[in-house]
Amino acid sequence: MELELLSSRINLNHTCLKLKVSIEDIKNKHPNRTDLITSMQQSLIEITQAMAVYQTLEKEFRATRQINFDLQHLNLQLKQDVKDLKKIIEYNNAEL
């Protein structure tokens, strides 16, 4: 999962960079193509927004994964406590 997250982040950043370079290239070589420039600039804004959302989701995913790990660890501890208490109960019942 870590590799996929890193790869996706890199791909988004790379796409954003390619779009910026393309916009500048078109502005320099074909400044009269305002329709294309405007469209590409809008796409760049949308990709930048998607990157921001992706970052937020990635942070939430990491936090949720940590909480899940902590809860699984606590669950294992509690299961062991239950086993220990059952043994104590069995021992106490045997003494009666």
Side-chain angles (χ1 to χ4, degrees), residues 1-53:
M1 180 56 82
E2 285 296 322
L3 187 58
E4 286 101 4
L5 289 173
L6 180 60
S7 178
S8 295
R9 190 174 346 120
I10 289 170
N11 288 340
L12 275 173
N13 286 333
H14 187 246
T15 300
C16 190
L17 182 60
K18 287 191 303 187
L19 194 52
K20 286 178 184 178
V21 169
S22 294
I23 290 169
E24 288 305 313
D25 190 43
I26 292 173
K27 280 182 177 179
N28 291 332
K29 293 181 181 176
H30 306 284
N32 58 329
R33 291 296 313 266
T34 56
D35 59 324
L36 186 58
I37 293 168
T38 302
S39 173
M40 291 175 72
Q41 287 174 327
Q42 182 60 38
S43 295
L44 181 60
I45 290 169
E46 291 167 0
I47 289 174
T48 303
Q49 290 171 342
M51 287 172 58
V53 170

Side-chain angles (χ1 to χ4, degrees), residues 39-85:
S39 173
M40 291 175 72
Q41 287 174 327
Q42 182 60 38
S43 295
L44 181 60
I45 290 169
E46 291 167 0
I47 289 174
T48 303
Q49 290 171 342
M51 287 172 58
V53 170
Y54 183 85
Q55 279 183 326
T56 301
L57 291 174
E58 187 178 1
K59 286 178 186 176
E60 288 180 15
F61 168 75
R62 290 181 192 285
T64 302
R65 186 175 57 186
Q66 184 61 48
I67 291 168
N68 185 41
F69 174 80
D70 293 343
L71 289 172
Q72 286 178 346
H73 186 259
L74 177 61
N75 190 40
L76 288 174
Q77 286 176 330
L78 292 172
K79 283 182 177 183
Q80 185 60 47
D81 290 347
V82 167
K83 283 182 183 179
D84 294 343
L85 290 170

